[in-house]
């Protein structure tokens, strides 16, 4: 085997009540990558289409993640990476995680899978560290493992895969303005009053319980963010209107996807998801701000090898 072509999915992190710990893998949005063995040792990024990201390995999230991986395995050949970047950097749907995950999963595959998927997470986190200075795994974990994940710990890595309720769909609106995660983290308070924190983790616990119970009513009550959203929503045009219209159309919770500017809604069934999607479009069409929307199933298996050659 000399090469692989793969799909590396977009993800919604935080899900309002799980800052830096909850994440959900999307089916319909993601990057494509081709990774081939090269005679020369090292990592080489030879093609990038779709979005502008650096070719320089040490400045590219896929580059630094792959370098960390080969440094630990030291194969006597190298790898060329081609990236078809469909997820815009700074969009809030795990653009850097998709690139980092795709790179390490592809290389691991070409090396005969010496690492289990979960064991690749620390390498992919090198990309997150480069992208925003923080090694949170809430996008990387669902991108690698699929489904809905809870990051119990990153040192050591401990990820819990959570159940996916029947008929759960995700709706995303991506206003085409860039919000860098590093900037969106700077607006957050460094400490939180205990009362606010206890409300927050009560909702996180209830959300996890709702997944096990397949209980949409409890899920709806739990997707609440009393800590991060009040700060970050100010960076997203029409955030309150999006939230209101999602709620008016039977959303099972609406909030900021990752660090924004994308906004997500969960929905029980495709019909409701499409109605929410149309209502999001109506709100944004009036702003003149370019945007994209997506309706997606939950991707149960994460990054996918499409072909090996
Ligand atoms: N949990 C991260 C944040 C996700 O909200 O800052 C963005 O990468």
């Amino acid at each position: 085997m000399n090469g692989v072509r793969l799909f590396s999915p977009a993800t919604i992190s935080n899900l309002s009540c799980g800052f830096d710990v909850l994440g959900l893998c999307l089916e319909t949005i993601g990057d494509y990558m081709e990774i081939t063995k090269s005679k020369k040792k090292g990592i080489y990024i030879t093609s990038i289409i779709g979005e502008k990201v650096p070719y320089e390995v040490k400045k590219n999230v896929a580059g630094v993640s792959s370098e960390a991986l080969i440094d630990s395995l030291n194969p006597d050949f190298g790898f060329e990476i081609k990236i078809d970047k469909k997820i815009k950097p700074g969009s809030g749907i795990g653009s850097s995680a998709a690139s980092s995950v795709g790179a390490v999963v592809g290389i691991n595959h070409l090396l005969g899978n010496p690492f289990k998927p979960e064991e690749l997470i620390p390498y992919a986190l090198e990309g997150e560290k480069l992208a925003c200075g923080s090694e949170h795994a809430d996008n990387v974990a669902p991108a690698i493992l699929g489904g809905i994940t809870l990051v119990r710990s990153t040192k050591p890595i401990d990820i819990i895969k959570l159940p996916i309720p029947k008929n759960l769909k995700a709706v995303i609106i991506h206003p085409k303005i860039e919000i860098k995660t590093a900037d969106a983290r700077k607006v957050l308070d460094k400490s939180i009053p205990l009362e606010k924190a206890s409300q927050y983790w009560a909702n996180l616990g209830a959300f996890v319980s709702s997944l096990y119970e397949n209980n949409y009513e409890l899920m709806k009550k739990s997707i609440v963010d009393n800590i991060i959203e009040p700060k970050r929503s100010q960076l997203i045009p029409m955030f309150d209107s999006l939230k209101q219209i999602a709620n008016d159309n039977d959303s099972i919770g609406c909030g900021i996807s990752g660090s924004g500017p994308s906004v997500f809604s969960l929905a029980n069934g495709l019909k409701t998801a499409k109605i929410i999607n149309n209502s999001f479009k109506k709100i944004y069409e009036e702003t003149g701000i370019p945007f994209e929307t997506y309706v997606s199933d939950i991707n149960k298996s994460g990054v996918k090898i499409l072909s090996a050659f």
Side-chain angles (χ1 to χ4, degrees), residues 13-14 18-22 92 94 96 128 132 134 136 138-139 181-182 184-185 188 228 232 257-260:
S13 60
N14 299 337
F19 178 69
D20 276 0
V21 298
L22 278 179
S96 54
E128 294 298 68
C132 72
S134 156
H136 48 273
D138 51 345
N139 290 104
T181 297
R185 291 179 87 83
L188 303 178
I228 313 295
R232 285 183 171 171
S257 175
S259 53

Side-chain angles (χ1 to χ4, degrees), residues 167 169-171 220 245-252 265-279 295:
N167 296 325
K169 309 285 173 201
V171 184
K220 188 169 180 168
I245 207 152
N247 193 40
D248 293 346
N249 286 292
D250 289 332
S251 164
I252 310 291
S265 166
L266 297 183
N268 180 359
L270 188 59
K271 198 173 154 210
T272 311
K274 284 184 174 167
I275 292 170
I276 295 168
N277 185 52
N278 286 337
S279 70
V295 172

